[in-house]
Amino acid sequence: MLSISFETSCDETSVAVLDDDKVLSNIISSQSLHNVYGGVIPELASREHLKNISFITDKAIKKAGIKLQQIKLVGATSEPGLIGALFIGLNYAKSIAYSLNSCFIPVNHLHAHIYSTFLNEKKPNFPFIALIISGGHTLLIQVEDYFNHKLLGTTIDDAAGEAFDKVAKMLGFEYPGGPIIDKLATTGNEKFHRFPKPKIKDGKYNFSFSGIKTSVLYYLREINYINDKSNELVSDICASFQYAIIEYLIEVVIKAASDRSISNIVVSGGVSSNSYLRKKFRNLETRGYQIYYPTKIYSTDNAAMVGITAYYKYRYNLGKPKDLEKLFNATARPKSVFSEI
Ligand code: KG4
Ligand code: ZN
């Protein structure tokens, strides 16, 4: 069954075409206009989505080698995200579904990050613990079966990706800073400076990143840091910061997995494309854990993960065809992520 899917929750305009759970095309247009602002400007994001969505859709259909009329299923991110940005993709998708008289399935962006790992040849086995680490969210979820999710923990302040982006900004880099820190850290010394790792509170799996972030700020003040990209000090700071964050993430995930005797672990969301993180989590396999990541291209926001989630919702009868008239009257109103997870 051919499907088309849309992702416009933040600063990526992405459209994918899938045949069941196989990706035929996945076009991603990242909005670089936010880079100089140090973060995403919601109104600019909406306007960019609007400008690009038709073009990206045509490209995705062409690359997949299909005709729009063959599409039987339409999926789109409906929540959570920037309201104006969501609105563009959601209503564009609904219009296509309406014109084709095909099934429309709204998709939770965080569900899509979980099921991005099902785009892999080797799919995760249930039950698993899913760590979602993105620019907007940090969640730990126990997944018993398709769409049977139990929230174990979340961040009490910044998201993991946000911490990367804010530290990168302190170091003088543009948004998004995660990939820059990742790259610079490869030549740095992770033991150069010890940034404090937050403590896990008894029986809880919540996260906090503001302490690490603030300690980087104080450290930079203490050494009168001046941005000089050629300076090996920058690489050492990036490596030390990354070390603290990743050791901490692993500690919380392992606590949850061992408390619940679950050996399958899924790590997804933008930060899961971090090379050091992938290496460190992969090492856990020597301790009997099975680790699953999405392919790097499906770690950061993309429509293929929305497509596979829509397909599973349809296949497992969780996304009954919605009344399109009603959908047109409804506003995309993102609910709290907790309600759906
Ligand atoms: O999942 P995503 O594309 O968007 C959200 O749903 O938020 O995640 C974006 C986040 C940004 O904070 C970005 O800095 C971070 O993922 N990120 C990384 C890397 N690539 C992207 N963080 C660390 N290392 C990376 N290689
Ligand atoms: Zn995301």
Side-chain angles (χ1 to χ4, degrees), residues 64-84:
I66 59 139
K67 296 229 169 344
L68 183 65
Q69 289 69 22
Q70 293 173 267
I71 301 278
K72 295 280 178 281
L73 181 70
V74 181
T77 304
S78 58
E79 59 168 335
L82 303 171
I83 182 75

Side-chain angles (χ1 to χ4, degrees), residues 109 113 134-136 161 164-165 176-179 182 269-271 273-274 299-301:
H109 183 78
H113 272 306
S134 72
F164 269 91
D165 295 335
D182 184 357
V271 182
S273 55
N274 185 279
S299 286
T300 41
D301 289 351

Side-chain angles (χ1 to χ4, degrees), residues 4 68-72 74 95-102:
I4 191 161
L68 183 65
Q69 289 69 22
Q70 293 173 267
I71 301 278
K72 295 280 178 281
V74 181
S95 311
I96 289 189
Y98 191 72
S99 68
L100 296 174
N101 199 23
S102 59

